[in-house]
PDB file of all heavy atoms in Angstrom:
ATOM      1  N   ALA A 509      97.438  94.861  13.928  1.00 31.00           N
ATOM      2  CA  ALA A 509      98.871  95.253  14.205  1.00 31.00           C
ATOM      3  C   ALA A 509      99.673  94.560  13.082  1.00 31.00           C
ATOM      4  O   ALA A 509      99.494  93.455  12.599  1.00 31.00           O
ATOM      5  CB  ALA A 509      99.330  94.601  15.503  1.00 31.00           C
ATOM      6  N   ILE A 510     100.576  95.352  12.494  1.00 30.00           N
ATOM      7  CA  ILE A 510     101.437  94.889  11.477  1.00 30.00           C
ATOM      8  C   ILE A 510     102.938  95.279  11.813  1.00 30.00           C
ATOM      9  O   ILE A 510     103.206  96.357  11.928  1.00 30.00           O
ATOM     10  CB  ILE A 510     101.254  95.516  10.059  1.00 30.00           C
ATOM     11  CG1 ILE A 510      99.769  95.177   9.613  1.00 30.00           C
ATOM     12  CG2 ILE A 510     102.241  95.010   8.963  1.00 30.00           C
ATOM     13  CD1 ILE A 510      99.286  95.700   8.413  1.00 30.00           C
ATOM     14  N   ALA A 511     103.819  94.199  12.106  1.00 27.00           N
ATOM     15  CA  ALA A 511     105.202  94.523  12.827  1.00 27.00           C
ATOM     16  C   ALA A 511     106.269  94.748  11.842  1.00 27.00           C
ATOM     17  O   ALA A 511     107.343  94.776  12.223  1.00 27.00           O
ATOM     18  CB  ALA A 511     105.394  93.311  13.759  1.00 27.00           C
ATOM     19  N   ALA A 512     105.951  94.767  10.568  1.00 27.00           N
ATOM     20  CA  ALA A 512     107.089  94.994   9.594  1.00 27.00           C
ATOM     21  C   ALA A 512     106.658  95.801   8.450  1.00 27.00           C
ATOM     22  O   ALA A 512     106.220  96.894   8.646  1.00 27.00           O
ATOM     23  CB  ALA A 512     107.714  93.680   9.133  1.00 27.00           C
ATOM     24  N   GLU A 513     106.878  95.308   7.266  1.00 27.00           N
ATOM     25  CA  GLU A 513     106.390  95.933   6.083  1.00 27.00           C
ATOM     26  C   GLU A 513     105.473  95.112   5.301  1.00 27.00           C
ATOM     27  O   GLU A 513     105.710  93.920   5.198  1.00 27.00           O
ATOM     28  CB  GLU A 513     107.644  96.372   5.160  1.00 27.00           C
ATOM     29  CG  GLU A 513     108.442  97.440   5.532  1.00 27.00           C
ATOM     30  CD  GLU A 513     109.461  97.748   4.431  1.00 27.00           C
ATOM     31  OE1 GLU A 513     109.164  97.957   3.409  1.00 27.00           O
ATOM     32  OE2 GLU A 513     110.613  97.800   4.837  1.00 27.00           O
ATOM     33  N   VAL A 514     104.390  95.756   4.688  1.00 30.00           N
ATOM     34  CA  VAL A 514     103.570  95.112   3.676  1.00 30.00           C
ATOM     35  C   VAL A 514     103.893  95.675   2.470  1.00 30.00           C
ATOM     36  O   VAL A 514     103.565  96.877   2.194  1.00 30.00           O
ATOM     37  CB  VAL A 514     102.090  95.283   3.926  1.00 30.00           C
ATOM     38  CG1 VAL A 514     101.231  94.534   2.968  1.00 30.00           C
ATOM     39  CG2 VAL A 514     101.673  94.689   5.342  1.00 30.00           C
ATOM     40  N   ARG A 515     104.601  94.940   1.663  1.00 29.00           N
ATOM     41  CA  ARG A 515     105.048  95.508   0.388  1.00 29.00           C
ATOM     42  C   ARG A 515     103.934  95.703  -0.708  1.00 29.00           C
ATOM     43  O   ARG A 515     103.950  96.796  -1.222  1.00 29.00           O
ATOM     44  CB  ARG A 515     106.188  94.566  -0.225  1.00 29.00           C
ATOM     45  CG  ARG A 515     107.301  94.356   0.809  1.00 29.00           C
ATOM     46  CD  ARG A 515     108.680  94.506   0.192  1.00 29.00           C
ATOM     47  NE  ARG A 515     109.717  94.249   1.086  1.00 29.00           N
ATOM     48  CZ  ARG A 515     110.478  95.048   1.695  1.00 29.00           C
ATOM     49  NH1 ARG A 515     110.316  96.447   1.307  1.00 29.00           N
ATOM     50  NH2 ARG A 515     111.431  94.788   2.557  1.00 29.00           N
ATOM     51  N   ALA A 516     103.227  94.722  -0.897  1.00 30.00           N
ATOM     52  CA  ALA A 516     102.125  94.945  -1.940  1.00 30.00           C
ATOM     53  C   ALA A 516     101.048  93.888  -1.698  1.00 30.00           C
ATOM     54  O   ALA A 516     101.326  92.861  -1.101  1.00 30.00           O
ATOM     55  CB  ALA A 516     102.704  94.664  -3.392  1.00 30.00           C
ATOM     56  N   LEU A 517      99.732  94.405  -1.777  1.00 30.00           N
ATOM     57  CA  LEU A 517      98.760  93.460  -1.638  1.00 30.00           C
ATOM     58  C   LEU A 517      97.720  93.563  -2.699  1.00 30.00           C
ATOM     59  O   LEU A 517      97.339  94.717  -2.928  1.00 30.00           O
ATOM     60  CB  LEU A 517      98.130  93.776  -0.117  1.00 30.00           C
ATOM     61  CG  LEU A 517      96.936  92.906   0.286  1.00 30.00           C
ATOM     62  CD1 LEU A 517      97.368  91.620   0.481  1.00 30.00           C
ATOM     63  CD2 LEU A 517      96.403  93.433   1.561  1.00 30.00           C
ATOM     64  N   ALA A 518      97.202  92.590  -3.093  1.00 31.00           N
ATOM     65  CA  ALA A 518      96.221  92.544  -4.200  1.00 31.00           C
ATOM     66  C   ALA A 518      94.838  91.945  -3.645  1.00 31.00           C
ATOM     67  O   ALA A 518      94.990  90.816  -3.273  1.00 31.00           O
ATOM     68  CB  ALA A 518      96.761  91.805  -5.514  1.00 31.00           C
ATOM     69  N   ILE A 519      93.801  92.689  -3.621  1.00 29.00           N
ATOM     70  CA  ILE A 519      92.580  92.161  -3.195  1.00 29.00           C
ATOM     71  C   ILE A 519      91.552  92.066  -4.348  1.00 29.00           C
ATOM     72  O   ILE A 519      91.326  93.137  -4.945  1.00 29.00           O
ATOM     73  CB  ILE A 519      91.896  93.098  -2.047  1.00 29.00           C
ATOM     74  CG1 ILE A 519      92.950  93.230  -1.001  1.00 29.00           C
ATOM     75  CG2 ILE A 519      90.613  92.532  -1.542  1.00 29.00           C
ATOM     76  CD1 ILE A 519      93.180  92.032  -0.140  1.00 29.00           C
ATOM     77  N   PRO A 520      91.031  90.886  -4.654  1.00 37.00           N
ATOM     78  CA  PRO A 520      90.175  90.937  -5.834  1.00 37.00           C
ATOM     79  C   PRO A 520      88.900  91.687  -5.764  1.00 37.00           C
ATOM     80  O   PRO A 520      88.280  91.807  -4.589  1.00 37.00           O
ATOM     81  CB  PRO A 520      89.756  89.345  -5.906  1.00 37.00           C
ATOM     82  CG  PRO A 520      90.891  88.642  -5.111  1.00 37.00           C
ATOM     83  CD  PRO A 520      91.203  89.693  -4.113  1.00 37.00           C
TER      84      PRO A 520
END
Side-chain angles (χ1 to χ4, degrees):
I510 301 178
E513 282 188 56
V514 179
R515 304 227 180 250
L517 181 65
I519 306 295

